[in-house]
Amino acid sequence: MPVSGKLALEYFRKARYRLLPVEPEHAAAIEGLPAHHQDPFDRLRVAQALTETMRRVTHDGLVARFSDGFLCIRVERQRRWWRPPPRLS
């Protein structure tokens, strides 16, 4: 991650992102997912999105296979052009 978790959380709060807690229903929904992706954290996020009927944007083609409502974006990274975001004051 190009910024610390603490700084990212600060950005999210200032941008008024709605944080989605993990609920028991999300954990239970993991059981019904197909086995084409084995990363437990990704499977939990997929279960959250499906349970909450949310759209999901991902760069992971395996995650995108879980639902037609998931959007897979391929981004070519050119690190020489990347600049860290400005510090919040």
Side-chain angles (χ1 to χ4, degrees):
M1 184 175 220
V3 297
S4 71
K6 184 177 179 180
L7 185 57
L9 188 56
E10 187 178 333
Y11 280 122
F12 299 156
R13 288 195 171 129
K14 285 190 176 189
R16 297 179 185 234
Y17 283 17
R18 184 179 69 113
L19 302 179
L20 182 61
V22 176
E23 300 292 344
E25 294 81 10
H26 301 148
I30 293 171
E31 276 185 323
L33 294 177
H36 57 259
H37 199 301
Q38 295 302 313
D39 183 290
F41 184 70
D42 282 343
R43 291 176 63 80
L44 176 59
R45 291 173 34 207
V46 165
Q48 279 183 303
L50 293 173
T51 302
E52 301 295 329
T53 59
M54 299 169 62
R55 290 235 178 224
R56 171 101 194 267
V57 178
T58 182
H59 70 278
D60 186 335
L62 290 175
V63 168
R65 289 177 56 196
F66 281 102
S67 171
D68 291 338
F70 292 175
L71 179 62
C72 187
I73 297 179
R74 300 280 181 202
V75 177
E76 289 186 33
R77 293 183 183 183
Q78 295 181 354
R79 295 216 181 256
R80 64 182 180 186
W81 297 106
W82 182 84
R83 296 190 196 294
R87 290 232 176 245
L88 297 174
S89 49

